């Protein structure tokens, strides 16, 4: 069982309302470093952080993390999916490192940001179904909040060779491919 895995060490801010059970601390922030990802089925993506005070917090949900003080983004805009299960892998894909990206939210808004790392799921029912499998790509939005979006809600930018124009008629593959099957 995985449950918790190291991420790239990423400076961030934690919304203080999380540190006070949402009873106070709104519009206040504490410097921190994200150092691990935690997954629990049917729960928002969560992080393990070290605060600048030396206090270490677990289970900080994605909408309580930001790269700079900013207005909050609702949880439903912060991540398209809850965690699929306990088993996953975290990888900072070198090919995507430093790439700018635009993300399409549930609210139809397009938000710009930069790639942080990816979580990919394993050993869960949905992660094995071709048209249901989803990566969680973690993005630091230019406006501050962090988001976790799947491939089909992101367009990557690299002016040296990418000309963004995805075909909107593409369909998600629904077949299993096997050499022996």
């Amino acid at each position: 069982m995985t449950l918790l895995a190291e991420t790239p060490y990423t400076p961030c801010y934690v919304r203080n309302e999380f540190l006070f059970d949402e009873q106070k601390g709104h519009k206040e922030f504490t410097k921190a470093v994200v150092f691990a990802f935690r997954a629990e089925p049917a729960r928002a993506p969560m992080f393990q952080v070290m605060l600048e005070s030396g206090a270490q917090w677990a289970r900080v949900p994605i909408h309580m993390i930001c790269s700079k003080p900013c207005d909050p983004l609702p949880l439903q805009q912060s991540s398209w999916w809850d965690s699929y299960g306990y088993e996953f892998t975290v990888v900072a894909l070198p090919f995507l490192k430093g790439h700018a990206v635009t993300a399409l939210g549930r609210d139809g808004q397009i938000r710009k940001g930069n790639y942080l790392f990816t979580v990919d799921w394993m050993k869960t029912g949905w992660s094995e179904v071709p048209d249901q499998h989803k990566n969680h790509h973690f993005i630091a939005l230019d406006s501050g909040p962090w988001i976790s979006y799947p491939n089909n809600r992101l367009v990557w930018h690299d002016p040296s060779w990418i000309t963004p124009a995805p075909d909107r008629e593409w369909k998600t593959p629904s077949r299993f491919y096997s050499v022996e099957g």
Side-chain angles (χ1 to χ4, degrees):
M1 180 178 297
T2 306
L3 182 64
L4 184 68
E6 185 176 24
T7 65
Y9 304 157
T10 309
C12 69
Y13 289 85
V14 174
R15 295 181 182 285
N16 280 4
E17 62 259 34
F18 176 77
L19 305 175
F20 294 100
D21 196 25
E22 299 192 43
Q23 296 177 23
K24 67 178 189 173
H26 297 273
K27 297 185 186 259
E28 297 173 2
F29 303 85
T30 297
K31 287 183 180 179
V33 173
V34 163
F35 63 90
F37 176 77
R38 181 184 176 100
E40 296 177 23
R43 297 285 184 266
M46 297 180 284
F47 299 97
Q48 202 101 354
V49 303
M50 179 69 71
L51 302 180
E52 67 180 348
S53 66
Q56 189 261 290
W57 282 72
R59 302 180 84 205
V60 181
I62 189 168
H63 69 301
M64 294 293 178
I65 300 284
C66 51
S67 55
K68 62 184 180 185
C70 59
D71 290 332
L73 194 62
L75 180 57
Q76 292 74 18
Q77 298 306 324
S78 298
S79 187
W80 269 87
W81 309 108
D82 283 335
S83 295
Y84 273 15
Y86 294 109
E87 299 202 41
F88 60 91
T89 185
V90 173
V91 61
L93 297 164
F95 184 78
L96 296 178
K97 184 178 180 181
H99 270 82
V101 61
T102 51
L104 175 62
R106 275 195 178 89
D107 59 359
Q109 296 295 310
I110 293 178
R111 297 175 175 88
K112 296 180 180 182
N114 287 285
Y115 175 77
L116 297 171
F117 56 89
T118 299
V119 169
D120 202 355
W121 304 95
M122 58 191 170
K123 298 183 182 177
T124 71
W126 293 121
S127 67
E128 307 301 325
V129 178
D131 63 348
Q132 293 299 313
H133 172 266
K134 307 286 188 281
N135 295 110
H136 278 75
H137 296 292
F138 289 85
I139 310 294
L141 294 178
D142 294 350
S143 58
W146 282 20
I147 62 170
S148 169
Y149 278 32
N151 291 330
N152 65 344
R153 300 297 175 193
L154 301 172
V155 175
W156 301 91
H157 302 277
D158 183 339
S160 67
W161 74 283
I162 295 174
T163 306
D167 188 328
R168 295 179 186 256
E169 293 183 26
W170 285 336
K171 302 288 183 203
T172 302
S174 60
R175 293 180 45 197
F176 289 93
Y177 293 91
S178 173
V179 173
E180 298 178 39

